[in-house]
Amino acid sequence: MTRFSDPVYVASGLRTPFGRGGGALAGYDAVSLSVPVVQAMAAQAGPDLVVWGSVIPNLGWSNIAREVWLDAGLDPNVPAFSVVLACSTSMTATIAAAGMLGGDTHLALVGGAEVMSRPSIALTADASRRLTDLFARDPQAALGALQGLEPTDYVLPTKGWSNRITGRSMGDHMEETAKSWAVSRVAQDSWALTSHQRAVAGWEAGFFDDLVIPLPELARDANPRADTSLEKLATLKPAFDRDSGRGSLTAGNSSPITDGAAGCWVANDAGVARLPEGTPHARLVDYEVSAVDYRTEGLLMAPSYGIPRLLARNRLTFEDIDLWEIHEAFAAQVLANVAAITDPDWVRTKVGVRSDLGRFDWRRVNPNGGSVAIGHPFGATGARDLSQAVKELWAMPTGSRAIVSICADGGQGTVALLERA
């Protein structure tokens, strides 16, 4: 099974180092942080199309993709548009660009950025309506009314980034899922430690050297911790469920507030030929965009539907996948999704897949660390995951396969099947 009549490839791109919230990159915004990545990639090859995204709204940007491209001083005749799908934003950009190849479009630059240190401060709908109505009638009085705004008139990310419908944060929802799937605190801390150890080892081995462009403020990812341990992780208090005595998600086993930008390439054969010789690339064989009712399945559990369907459609089992690059919004989210896809009864009754998917090999998951250690700037994560997976796959034999999986707010997710070209 393939989604495309002609071969489509994803090629590794570039990204900034990922900075800690409030840290070295907090002086940027999503546009200015994207510019050096886009400039560096455009210096490698001139794209025919740009697709870029950012999740945290900013009223100053109408089309961040176009604004980044023009701020970078690049060819104004290249079209650029924006996409948003929460944490899956830049993977969605990849899927969108893949479907647009053909004609005169052979090479697309895709990605995204987030400066989570600098969220916009917004007014509630009621406060905004009062002020805009007043400005229309009496601008001077409206200026005076601005001084009289109350704290309840503002929309502030005081609990992280909450789901609009539920008013609850991702961590609040994930605590419920962790309890539902009996994902222990010890298991979460253990996976978090593995993520940090692998990310630190990747940096020390030079894996990230040609994927990350140093910035004046930061040369490498700030979040991976070489000095962490299970003992240190065990001392951290629950970050979301602080009252029940059963809270298990902490700052140590959750992805941190992060600033960063990342891009990758989408190309057909003619587009790949324009990239620098030896650029790692993999064929995009198939993809799945899935959604679940998060009131019953969990806010971040959509990949557990998408992965079995993608495998079954392509007549593959877990053993056929040589590499798994799974976004780590929380260690518990990775553990819960894998628990679901490895439960035959659940896959059969919930997902509708009846084939035997076989044995899941944890040793093949995130060999150079994931979002718990590296960080999770919402709009950049998909491109970071894809670039990392493609480079890891490039070191494997021709025909090796990878699955890249990203969960997203709203009970959605994206999954891609890649094959070593």
Side-chain angles (χ1 to χ4, degrees):
M1 167 72 185
T2 179
R3 286 274 187 172
F4 310 101
S5 56
D6 296 314
V8 172
Y9 304 95
V10 178
S12 291
L14 298 170
R15 66 174 175 91
T16 67
F18 284 1
R20 291 175 184 162
L25 304 184
Y28 289 86
D29 59 28
V31 172
S32 61
L33 191 56
S34 299
V35 165
V37 174
V38 169
Q39 287 176 328
M41 290 181 65
Q44 295 177 337
D48 305 312
L49 173 69
V50 178
V51 189
W52 205 259
S54 183
V55 177
I56 300 172
N58 188 308
L59 292 177
W61 310 327
S62 63
N63 178 0
I64 188 174
R66 182 66 171 167
E67 291 166 79
V68 166
W69 186 253
L70 294 180
D71 276 10
L74 298 165
D75 182 359
N77 293 310
V78 175
F81 69 92
S82 305
V83 299
V84 179
L85 183 61
C87 307
S88 290
T89 287
S90 48
M91 183 187 273
T92 305
T94 301
I95 294 168
M100 298 177 71
L101 297 179
D104 295 327
T105 302
H106 305 290
L107 181 65
L109 191 162
V110 305
E114 220 71 62
V115 178
M116 298 174 71
S117 295
R118 295 179 59 184
S120 297
I121 297 175
L123 295 178
T124 64
D126 286 343
S128 178
R129 183 166 50 252
R130 294 198 313 267
L131 286 171
T132 53
D133 289 348
L134 193 54
F135 268 111
R137 299 192 313 269
D138 187 344
Q140 195 63 36
L143 290 173
L146 282 171
Q147 298 178 349
L149 289 172
E150 301 290 336
T152 53
D153 292 323
Y154 293 95
V155 179
L156 299 170
T158 54
K159 289 186 67 180
W161 282 266
S162 298
N163 179 273
R164 184 192 68 81
I165 296 172
T166 68
R168 303 171 65 216
S169 73
M170 307 297 106
D172 292 333
H173 281 277
M174 197 61 228
E175 273 284 8
E176 289 184 352
T177 305
K179 292 179 177 69
S180 175
W181 283 94
V183 179
S184 72
R185 168 71 183 271
V186 172
Q188 294 174 54
D189 287 350
S190 178
W191 186 255
L193 177 62
T194 297
S195 187
H196 280 279
Q197 290 174 332
R198 290 177 177 178
V200 169
W203 271 106
E204 295 306 316
F207 173 82
F208 293 103
D209 290 353
D210 57 357
L211 296 177
V212 177
I213 55 171
L215 297 177
E217 300 85 357
L218 190 65
R220 59 185 286 174
D221 295 329
N223 290 301
R225 296 181 179 272
D227 62 346
T228 194
S229 65
L230 283 177
E231 292 74 22
K232 290 182 179 180
L233 289 167
T235 66
L236 299 176
K237 296 181 179 180
F240 302 98
D241 177 2
R242 299 173 179 174
D243 301 321
S244 75
R246 298 172 57 222
S248 59
L249 274 69
T250 71
N253 58 39
S254 306
S255 60
I257 301 298
T258 313
D259 304 327
C264 62
W265 298 102
V266 181
N268 55 21
D269 286 316
V272 168
R274 285 158 51 182
L275 294 173
E277 186 176 356
T279 299
H281 58 280
R283 186 172 181 180
L284 177 59
V285 177
D286 198 0
Y287 64 87
E288 182 85 12
V289 181
S290 54
V292 300
D293 184 347
Y294 60 77
R295 294 168 297 185
T296 57
E297 305 298 351
L299 191 75
L300 302 180
M301 291 297 288
S304 67
Y305 278 55
I307 291 170
R309 288 173 179 164
L310 187 65
L311 290 172
R313 187 165 62 246
N314 289 274
R315 298 181 180 179
L316 299 172
T317 67
F318 295 138
E319 287 92 339
D320 296 315
I321 305 304
D322 304 283
L323 168 69
W324 297 83
E325 195 68 42
I326 302 177
H327 163 50
E328 301 168 352
F330 305 90
Q333 168 259 318
V334 179
L335 296 167
N337 273 277
V338 174
I341 65 176
T342 54
D343 181 342
D345 290 338
W346 191 89
V347 170
R348 183 176 61 256
T349 58
K350 294 285 190 177
V351 187
V353 169
R354 300 187 177 278
S355 54
D356 181 6
L357 298 180
R359 184 181 64 87
F360 188 88
D361 189 346
W362 279 99
R363 295 171 298 179
R364 301 178 182 184
V365 181
N366 298 357
N368 286 284
S371 299
V372 164
I374 295 170
H376 175 33
F378 296 151
T381 287
R384 193 275 300 169
D385 269 328
L386 285 164
S387 282
Q388 199 161 312
V390 168
K391 183 176 179 183
E392 290 159 351
L393 198 59
W394 190 249
M396 299 180 182
T398 300
S400 298
R401 301 182 185 92
I403 278 185
V404 182
S405 170
I406 302 179
C407 60
D409 183 24
Q412 300 192 98
T414 53
V415 184
L417 173 62
L418 305 176
E419 184 174 282
R420 168 66 161 92

